[in-house]
Amino acid sequence: MHQYKLLFATVFSILLSNSASAQISAKADRIDSTKYTTNGIADDPIYIYYSDPRGFKTTGTLAAAIPDSTNLTFTWYRYSEYSSSYSVKLKTDSTTNQSVIEDCTEGGYKVSITNSANTWDTALYAWVFQNEFNIGLISVYNSTCEQMELRSTINYDEEFIYHDRVSNERLTYYNGKKNQLKYEWESTPKGTSIPSVQNPSFEAPTEPTIYRLTVSNSFGESRTKKIEIEEGDHNGDGNIYLKAVRANFVAHRAYIPANETDSSGQAPLTVHFSDSSKNATEWCWYFYKQIDRRKSTADSLLMDTVTTQFLVDSITYTMPNFKYGYDVALRVKGPAYMQDGIEKQCTDRLLKEEYINVDSSFIAKKTDIPNAFTPDGANPKFVFQDESMPRSIRSFKVRIYNRWGLKVYSYEDDNGSWDGWDGETIGFGSAPAGVYYYTIVAEGWNNETFRRNGYVHLFRTK
């Protein structure tokens, strides 16, 4: 008899030890614990399941086990708000050491565990919290010529109600407050920076754009959703979203590659303009005189304003600027839209001040013109040095005379691109060594006349 009592005491001790360390387990998205108000009772696990990104709630799967035990019976119950107890019986598993219950919705769960001899009984408890976390809707709240404002609807369960196991007191579990959510916006193509708030206001886009919102809670769980704004999208009243317009252009000289930009050079300077405006449907170009040559506002334009639906091909600038460059402005209009029954268009204007710079008319001073050359030697031509080549010249003439006053060389052009005298004469072959007299007369595009004359020594090595 004493042997049986000793065996029973040993089995009971083992079961009691196992049950003390056992609890309901689950593969939840996150695990926390209750904070019961009754002293002396242990807290129970709270298994938190987040809804999927589409908003569908995710049910849980709970498991209970007593290791190193057999022939146990597991009976599952659900907490009833109506009876304030675990009175809703769900399922029973017998002759086993573990049990699983699936499709657990939000609420409290209890599993009673007994052995086959009904000599041992214990209970485990857990709570399931279905946290709805998703981005419900992203929409354009307002769109103007300058700003766009997006609105988003965020579904997030802030709190969960559970009950003290002894006093049945209603307790509130906070699952991270909603104001702790973090918002991050990005756009494709990338535009201006968007504030990290739920409903941001930012510079209005000028092209179809995808906006993505990522919302994260303090536990690392996040949701992402996008809104695509395309051509023609509107609020239903014809007030389109892509209405903003941005003016932009670049200029480049006619004789350099189109992918390089350079708006300076000598007269006559032909400049090509490349429009790079965004969302423009109408263009109006303004080409201004130099500031110091404007007599009045009415006299400020270099030419009549150019209004066109196409790109401006080129403008030729003939007057050099000594101090101030030429201003260029572009005014553009965006697509038409309806607002309060009135057709409107957004506009934008870009002014580039002193953007076009034309070199001053220039001829080298007499002291900078070479006074000797050797046709068959190291300096084979009588010519300007590279750094003193004529610039912005409208007409150019060179005459060279021998010591008896006979003209032996003549040259003229309309831009001063003379490549020098090589010592060959007009009908007399190679000029002999000696001293020659030259005259240079040029007229600049600024109407200034330049005169240079002097002597040059021609040397020969043979």
Side-chain angles (χ1 to χ4, degrees):
M1 181 68 178
H2 293 292
Q3 291 180 346
Y4 289 118
K5 287 184 178 180
L6 179 60
L7 177 62
F8 176 77
T10 302
V11 172
F12 182 78
S13 175
I14 293 174
L15 289 175
L16 185 60
S17 174
N18 288 340
S19 65
S21 61
Q23 67 174 11
I24 298 175
S25 62
K27 292 182 179 180
D29 294 314
R30 195 166 64 83
I31 303 173
D32 212 329
S33 62
T34 61
K35 298 293 184 292
Y36 294 134
T37 57
T38 300
N39 293 328
I41 65 169
D43 290 321
D44 296 319
I46 298 177
Y47 296 111
I48 301 166
Y49 294 87
Y50 291 100
S51 60
D52 70 14
R54 297 168 298 175
F56 299 131
K57 289 189 175 182
T58 303
T59 57
T61 297
L62 303 179
I66 303 295
D68 302 324
S69 301
T70 58
N71 296 322
L72 300 180
T73 298
F74 296 79
T75 304
W76 291 89
Y77 299 89
R78 194 176 191 282
Y79 184 84
S80 170
E81 292 276 357
Y82 180 76
S83 64
S84 300
S85 64
Y86 292 88
S87 58
V88 180
K89 186 175 180 179
L90 300 176
K91 64 174 292 189
T92 298
D93 289 328
S94 302
T95 318
T96 182
N97 69 341
Q98 62 183 357
S99 177
V100 174
I101 186 169
E102 298 178 337
D103 296 326
C104 298
T105 57
E106 188 167 286
Y109 291 84
K110 167 187 172 182
V111 58
S112 294
I113 307 172
T114 60
N115 62 3
S116 58
N118 291 322
T119 57
W120 178 76
D121 187 359
T122 190
L124 304 176
Y125 299 84
W127 291 86
V128 171
F129 177 19
Q130 291 177 294
N131 186 346
E132 182 180 2
F133 183 16
N134 65 79
I135 304 172
L137 179 68
I138 302 176
S139 60
V140 178
Y141 177 74
N142 192 25
S143 177
T144 68
C145 295
E146 292 78 27
Q147 296 284 311
M148 173 172 283
E149 184 177 355
L150 298 179
R151 289 286 177 92
S152 63
T153 302
I154 310 300
N155 299 317
Y156 188 74
D157 287 344
E158 296 183 65
E159 59 184 46
F160 165 56
I161 302 299
Y162 63 99
H163 295 262
D164 186 289
R165 235 194 304 137
V166 176
S167 67
N168 204 43
E169 179 184 356
R170 285 173 59 92
L171 301 173
T172 301
Y173 169 75
Y174 286 96
N175 187 57
K177 295 182 179 179
K178 192 170 185 177
N179 58 13
Q180 293 177 339
L181 295 178
K182 295 182 179 180
Y183 304 88
E184 182 178 355
W185 293 88
E186 62 177 356
S187 62
T188 305
K190 188 174 180 61
T192 57
S193 177
I194 305 176
S196 299
V197 296
Q198 181 177 351
N199 302 313
S201 181
F202 50 92
E203 184 180 20
T206 56
E207 58 186 323
T209 304
I210 299 174
Y211 294 99
R212 292 180 180 84
L213 169 61
T214 298
V215 182
S216 305
N217 65 12
S218 56
F219 306 108
E221 190 78 14
S222 64
R223 296 290 183 266
T224 299
K225 194 168 187 174
K226 69 180 181 180
I227 178 175
E228 298 185 32
I229 299 176
E230 300 178 339
E231 295 281 0
D233 287 351
H234 58 86
N235 64 355
D237 296 326
N239 192 343
I240 60 175
Y241 298 144
L242 287 178
K243 63 181 64 158
V245 62
R246 299 288 179 268
N248 198 19
F249 63 90
V250 294
H252 55 85
R253 299 199 308 269
Y255 55 86
I256 66 173
N259 61 344
E260 298 181 18
T261 58
D262 190 346
S263 55
S264 63
Q266 63 174 312
L269 178 63
T270 299
V271 180
H272 291 285
F273 291 88
S274 298
D275 173 72
S276 53
S277 301
K278 296 290 188 179
N279 209 28
T281 58
E282 295 182 28
W283 296 259
C284 190
W285 296 86
Y286 300 83
F287 302 98
Y288 294 96
K289 295 178 181 178
Q290 301 162 53
I291 294 176
D292 54 352
R293 291 181 178 271
R294 301 175 192 174
K295 297 179 181 180
S296 65
T297 303
D299 187 48
S300 63
L301 292 176
L302 182 69
M303 56 184 293
D304 290 339
T305 303
V306 179
T307 302
T308 177
Q309 291 185 353
F310 307 98
L311 303 182
V312 172
D313 180 33
S314 64
I315 298 294
T316 299
Y317 294 84
T318 58
M319 180 60 67
N321 59 280
F322 171 71
K323 185 176 182 181
Y324 302 103
Y326 293 86
D327 296 348
V328 180
L330 173 62
R331 184 173 180 268
V332 294
K333 291 184 178 182
Y337 64 94
M338 299 300 296
Q339 185 173 346
D340 300 326
I342 301 174
E343 185 175 280
K344 295 185 177 182
Q345 287 177 284
C346 296
T347 63
D348 190 40
R349 184 176 183 271
L350 175 63
L351 170 65
K352 293 189 177 184
E353 297 181 308
E354 300 184 46
Y355 185 52
I356 307 299
N357 288 276
V358 185
D359 295 338
S360 298
S361 296
F362 166 82
I363 288 289
K365 296 179 181 179
K366 181 179 178 179
T367 54
D368 295 326
I369 298 175
N371 60 6
F373 74 109
T374 306
D376 58 350
N379 299 304
K381 286 187 176 184
F382 170 49
V383 69
F384 296 112
Q385 301 299 316
D386 289 342
E387 63 272 12
S388 61
M389 286 295 292
R391 300 187 69 79
S392 296
I393 296 301
R394 182 161 53 191
S395 66
F396 180 85
K397 296 178 182 179
V398 178
R399 301 290 185 265
I400 298 179
Y401 303 88
N402 63 15
R403 58 191 300 180
W404 295 283
L406 180 65
K407 183 168 62 174
V408 298
Y409 176 80
S410 177
Y411 173 86
E412 59 183 81
D413 63 30
D414 60 359
N415 58 18
S417 59
W418 177 53
D419 63 357
W421 180 41
D422 60 2
E424 296 300 312
T425 65
I426 305 173
F428 298 102
S430 298
V435 178
Y436 293 83
Y437 180 77
Y438 67 85
T439 63
I440 299 174
V441 179
E443 182 180 353
W445 280 95
N446 61 355
N447 299 320
E448 180 180 358
T449 299
F450 301 88
R451 299 182 186 276
R452 305 286 186 264
N453 56 71
Y455 294 94
V456 60
H457 294 260
L458 188 156
F459 295 98
R460 291 193 181 274
T461 59
K462 296 180 181 180

